[in-house]
């Protein structure tokens, strides 16, 4: 059976009524027959039937044994870090999601958890940096926003040999394109806000684990800390995920065409897309992903934040907003938006240049998207040149 068929039919028909849509159990508690005697549910922070359906669907989709649904992607990441103790270390990809960097730096550093950032695109850097205190290796692949690719299978082996867990933030690829647990990862996290939800209408996170035991630890942390996903938002993710394969396939096709268009554009310096043969580690992406996803980033020949701002303010279809993975195309300027909390020198060293623009290529007709971005690029170039010559004249 194909994965798309399996996914659609992993969403159960309600055994009580035959309802083809999963019921939303909007309740705080469950009536018990006697103390401790219940139908598997006692209090809705600990468990909720609608949330449980979502968790089962995602566990199956990622090839894991258990999953937990959280109020946001960051709450999911936070739960994984809570597996650690003071004195433990994390080895993390240097081009990490800004919110994860902020959580590690401003919350967990003060509890004695240290993070070493390395360029994980080269396995040798991981071998060099891992040490006896490393308890967790943290990967994003592709990364946000420069779409760097790391070799999950090789890094899983290194982590295991050193007694560390490997966690992969699979938000950008989604399980439709990449299943890190099958490549040896212990934990997968998601911002379900993005491709799993898929419609820019909710905030949600997921943790999936290779084993039941690790899943129980995450469930314990979830119940103890309380950052659960609501029944209604669980239902929205179920509704979104039904079309995951269809959407992600189409996002990938559109993104490939946009990336190829940008590659030939005179105002564009670098294009970052794992589906381009020129992409560093394209061969690894081709091995571990079935397609390359909907995110494309590019920098300008004029490497200035002002020039990039002119681009992002002059599109009509690409809406200027943080977030990604929805039906509607979005774009953003990472240096002043999503990656603002990362110090400029660390940000630039990770390849997030001042003029970098990130596109979340949506499901509109791709020729309309290409016209839109082309138009914005020419307005931006003309305006920037005019302003520069005015400045030169004034001086
Ligand atoms: C958005 C995002 C997150 C954070 O998820 P929220 O749902 O916004 O809390 C984590 N990782 C990646 C790669 C993301 O894009």
């Amino acid at each position: 059976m194909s994965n798309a068929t399996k996914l659609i039919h992993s969403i159960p028909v309600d055994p009580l009524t035959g309802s083809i849509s999963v019921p939303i159990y909007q309740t705080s508690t469950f009536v018990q027959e006697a103390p401790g005697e219940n139908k598997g549910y006692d209090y809705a922070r600990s468990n909720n039937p609608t949330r449980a359906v979502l968790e089962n669907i995602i566990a199956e989709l990622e090839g894991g044994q258990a999953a937990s649904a959280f109020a946001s992607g960051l709450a999911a990441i936070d739960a994984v870090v809570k597996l650690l103790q003071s004195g433990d270390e994390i080895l993390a990809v240097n081009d990490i999601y800004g919110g994860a960097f902020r959580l590690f730096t401003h919350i967990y550093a003060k509890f004695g958890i240290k993070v070493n950032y390395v360029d994980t695109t080269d396995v040798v850097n991981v071998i060099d940096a891992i040490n006896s205190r490393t308890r967790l290796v943290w990967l994003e692949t592709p990364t946000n926003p420069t779409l760097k690719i790391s070799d999950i299978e090789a890094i899983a082996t290194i982590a295991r040999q050193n007694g560390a867990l490997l966690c992969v933030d699979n938000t950008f690829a989604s399980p439709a394109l990449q299943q890190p647990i099958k490549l040896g990862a212990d934990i997968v996290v998601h911002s379900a806000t993005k491709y799993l939800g898929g419609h820019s209408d909710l905030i949600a996170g997921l943790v999936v684990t290779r084993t039941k035991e690790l899943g129980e630890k995450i469930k314990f942390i979830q119940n103890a800390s309380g950052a659960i996903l609501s029944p209604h938002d669980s239902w929205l993710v179920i509704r979104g995920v039904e079309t995951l394969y269809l959407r992600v396939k189409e996002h990938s096709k559109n993104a490939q065409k946009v990336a190829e268009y940008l590659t030939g554009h005179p105002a564009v310096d670098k294009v970052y897309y794992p589906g381009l043969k020129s992409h560093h580690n394209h061969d690894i992406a081709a091995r571990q992903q079935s397609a390359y996803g909907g995110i494309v980033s590019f920098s300008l020949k004029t490497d200035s934040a002002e020039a990039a701002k002119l681009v992002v303010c002059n599109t009509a279809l690409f809406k200027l907003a943080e977030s990604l993975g929805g039906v509607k195309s979005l774009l953003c300027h990472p240096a002043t938006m999503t990656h603002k909390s990362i110090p400029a020198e660390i940000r630039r060293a990770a390849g997030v240049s001042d003029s970098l623009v990130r596109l979340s290529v949506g499901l509109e007709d791709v020729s309309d998207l290409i016209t839109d971005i082309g138009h914005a690029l020419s307005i931006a170039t003309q305006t920037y040149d005019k302003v520069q010559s005015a400045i030169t004249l004034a001086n």
Side-chain angles (χ1 to χ4, degrees), residues 149 178 274-275 279 281-292:
I149 301 291
Q178 170 175 278
H279 187 281
N281 284 354
H282 167 74
D283 54 326
I284 297 172
R287 205 167 61 225
Q288 67 192 14
Q289 297 182 214
S290 61
Y292 303 101

Side-chain angles (χ1 to χ4, degrees), residues 7-75:
L7 166 61
I8 290 167
H9 288 272
S10 71
I11 303 169
V13 171
D14 177 36
L16 217 60
T17 62
S19 164
I20 196 148
S21 169
V22 174
I24 301 173
Y25 283 89
Q26 193 68 52
T27 187
S28 60
T29 192
F30 302 85
V31 176
Q32 315 202 2
E33 291 95 68
E37 241 181 74
N38 55 57
K39 299 184 167 70
Y41 298 93
D42 52 8
Y43 185 61
R45 174 169 19 80
S46 313
N47 214 342
N48 173 288
T50 313
R51 200 172 86 223
V53 167
L54 170 64
E55 292 168 343
N56 289 338
I57 293 166
I58 304 296
E60 195 168 315
L61 196 54
E62 285 285 5
Q65 292 288 318
S68 298
F70 289 85
S72 69
L74 271 170

Side-chain angles (χ1 to χ4, degrees), residues 43 45-47 218-228:
Y43 185 61
R45 174 169 19 80
S46 313
N47 214 342
I218 294 290
K219 268 263 166 274
F220 180 86
I221 291 166
Q222 181 184 50
N223 188 44
S225 295
I228 51 160

